[in-house]
Structure formats: structure tokens, C-alpha cells
Amino acid sequence: MMRILLTGIGGQLGGELQQILTPLGEVTGVNRQSLDLAQPTQIRQIIGEVKPDIIVNAAAYTAVDKAETEIELANAINGNAPTIMAEEAHKLGAAIIHVSTDYVFDGQKNTPYKEDDTTNPINAYGRSKLLGEEGVKSHCHRYIILRTAWVYSCYGNGNFVKTMLRLGAEREEIRVVVDQVGTPTWTRDIAQAILQLGKKITLDIPDNSSLTGIYHFTNSGAISWYDFAVSIFEEAEKLGFPLKVQRVIPITTSEYPTPAARPAYSVLSNQKISKILGNNLPYWRNGLRQMLQQLYSESVISS
């Protein structure tokens, strides 16, 4: 049986992966309480104990605005930690699947970003994630770097969908940025893609992997944060979520300044990974609808 080391099980994607990866083998999941990714010794120790065939790194420092003042910590978790994982994976002859982000790009294009487009992160978080990508590429021959974007989930603490539901239950009017465009992506779909990639990479000959490389994966379609918010409330109302919101007001990025700059255009091209997975990638609104159904069902059961 394959041994899989999965990081970030307390987060949005890691929580999803912990269940979905079980057909691939024996999953050892770690969270921030059991593994401090800012401590290289701990990383090497857990990998030495598990001796995984695949490392799936779904953990990250994701506080985009705080990263502007916590650069060293962001670089340690997003840059140094995956580099160490790649080094240890290489020693074991293992593969690593590392999750990255659209924020490695500057958002100046107006067509979907391809894997070989020039990276140019415009904030500290993006720069830290790019460090991690470079470390993985440099230190392991069997790697997959999976860039995704606008992630949301039933798992973890904060994401845009949960934030909108909370604000929508509290306020009649909500202002949302309209001039940033991307693709909302459900973690269930990302996790299913990682499962398929994991199955395929285990069939590759070590040090000669035809799958090795960078891939983009998001749901299909592209919208603004404003359009996403409107869609969340439309779908949530159908399900019976408690909502007070009456109006969603579109605003510009300049009207909502944040410590970290955000890319204006974050759409990623799925053309490359579609050839590998051999299917049409799920549409963003279908993922949103399914996630809200799951969230509503869980809230009804817990109440």
C-alpha cells in the first residue's frame, strides 16, 4: 500500500484531501499542531518517520495581508518548508505534489495564464509561494506543482463564501470589488484532481517522470468578486440560509484598499491539465451549489 504524507489537514483543501486520498493508500495527515512548518527539523523528522511514497503539501501561510509584515514567517512556511519536503522526497525516491497559487502572477494579462507565462508576484504572499515553487523544482525529480485560485470549502475557518454568508446574515447592504476577475474553485474538485494526479505519478519511473511539471487547475469560467457574491446569495437563498442582505454594491479596488496588492486578473488556463485528466473541468457555479448544499446540510444536522 502506498504511504501518503498529507500536510495542512486543518485547512480548506487539506480537510477535503484527508478523505479523498484514501483510495490511493495509507494517509498520514498532519496539521499545524502536529507539525510546525517553520521548523525544518520537525519537517525532516516526520518525513523520516512516515517514509512516504508521495508527499502532498496542502499547507500554506495564507494570510495575504499579514504577510506584508510577516515576510520571514511567510517565506519559512511557503518557501523553505516545501523546499525541505522536496529534498527529503528526493532522498526517498518519492514524489511530491505541491499546491501553489495564481498570486505568482501580476494580473496584468487579459487572457488566461498558462503554466509557462512569466511569474511576477506583486505581494509578499505571492513571492513566498514562488520561492516554494522554485525550491520544489530544484530539489526533486518527481514533482507536480498545482496552481489554483479563489479557493473555498466547507472545511477550514475563513473563505469568501463563508464570509459572504456571515455578512449577508448581518447586513442589508454589502460592498464587493468588481474589478478583480478570477475563477472560484471548490476544494472538492481540486482534491479529486490531486487524487487522479497521485494515481498517475505513482506509475511513472522514478527520476524520469513524464508528469513532472507545473499545472494549473481551477473550475471553469471567470467572474468578478462582485458577481461571485451575488451568485452566493442567489444560491444560498434557494437553500434557505438566513439572509438579511438586500443589495450588493459593486466597488473598485481603489475604494477598498488593502495592505497587499491583488492581481486584477487571476484566470488560469486549464488546457494543459485537461489533457492529463481527460475530462471537462467542472463549472464554478456547479461547485458553489454543491458546496452550499453540503454546508447547509451540516448546519441543519448540527442544529
Side-chain angles (χ1 to χ4, degrees):
M1 180 178 285
M2 299 287 295
R3 294 184 300 275
I4 302 111
L5 176 61
L6 170 63
T7 67
I9 61 170
Q12 295 190 81
L13 179 56
E16 205 86 62
L17 283 165
Q18 192 170 20
Q19 300 179 52
I20 285 178
L21 289 181
T22 53
L24 192 59
E26 180 184 350
V27 179
T28 299
V30 293
N31 58 20
R32 64 178 63 182
Q33 284 73 41
S34 54
L35 174 61
D36 183 351
L37 290 175
Q39 300 298 324
T41 302
Q42 289 189 27
I43 300 171
R44 297 186 195 278
Q45 181 178 348
I46 193 72
I47 294 173
E49 291 172 357
V50 176
K51 294 183 171 55
D53 300 291
I54 302 176
I55 298 172
V56 179
N57 182 32
Y61 177 107
T62 57
V64 176
D65 288 323
K66 285 181 69 176
E68 296 296 311
T69 55
E70 295 184 348
I71 294 174
E72 187 174 337
L73 181 59
N75 287 346
I77 295 173
N78 292 344
N80 194 42
T83 301
I84 293 169
M85 292 179 204
E87 290 174 350
E88 297 303 309
H90 181 67
K91 292 176 185 176
L92 293 170
I96 180 169
I97 300 177
H98 171 64
V99 180
S100 192
T101 175
D102 57 303
Y103 276 38
V104 298
F105 298 113
D106 59 18
Q108 296 302 303
K109 284 187 70 176
N110 55 16
T111 56
Y113 279 95
K114 295 183 178 181
E115 286 79 357
D116 57 358
D117 280 337
T118 302
T119 54
N120 185 33
I122 58 174
N123 57 41
Y125 166 74
R127 288 189 289 272
S128 71
K129 292 295 288 183
L130 185 57
L131 284 174
E133 288 190 9
E134 292 169 345
V136 169
K137 287 191 295 183
S138 300
H139 292 87
C140 188
H141 290 169
R142 299 176 66 209
Y143 71 84
I144 290 174
I145 293 170
L146 192 71
R147 293 178 182 145
T148 189
W150 289 31
V151 175
Y152 64 92
S153 173
C154 288
Y155 296 94
N157 296 321
N159 60 58
F160 187 78
V161 177
K162 288 184 176 181
T163 299
M164 287 299 104
L165 291 174
R166 176 177 56 80
L167 294 177
E170 298 170 353
R171 305 178 186 178
E172 292 188 355
E173 182 176 292
I174 298 173
R175 297 156 61 85
V176 184
V177 170
V178 73
D179 56 354
Q180 294 176 25
V181 176
T183 305
T185 304
W186 186 28
T187 53
R188 178 77 52 83
D189 293 326
I190 304 171
Q192 291 288 359
I194 289 174
L195 173 62
Q196 293 183 61
L197 292 170
K199 288 178 178 178
K200 291 177 182 294
I201 201 169
T202 58
L203 300 176
D204 287 328
I205 300 170
D207 299 332
N208 190 29
S209 172
S210 60
L211 273 183
T212 287
I214 299 175
Y215 297 87
H216 290 170
F217 179 92
T218 62
N219 286 142
S220 61
I223 55 169
S224 70
W225 287 115
Y226 165 79
D227 293 318
F228 190 27
V230 170
S231 302
I232 291 166
F233 295 134
E234 288 175 352
E235 296 294 339
E237 186 176 25
K238 293 176 188 176
L239 290 168
F241 278 89
L243 295 173
K244 287 177 59 177
V245 63
Q246 300 294 317
R247 295 173 299 280
V248 183
I249 310 297
I251 62 171
T252 64
T253 299
S254 62
E255 293 177 88
Y256 186 72
T258 55
R262 264 70 169 177
Y265 186 84
S266 282
V267 182
L268 302 178
S269 170
N270 286 322
Q271 186 175 4
K272 180 180 176 182
I273 201 165
S274 293
K275 295 176 181 177
I276 300 295
L277 300 181
N279 56 21
N280 294 319
L281 303 188
Y283 183 58
W284 69 265
R285 187 139 188 169
N286 294 339
L288 171 64
R289 188 174 297 124
Q290 292 177 69
M291 179 270 193
L292 287 173
Q293 288 170 346
Q294 179 187 348
L295 196 63
Y296 185 75
S297 298
E298 292 174 355
S299 66
V300 169
I301 292 171
S302 63
S303 62

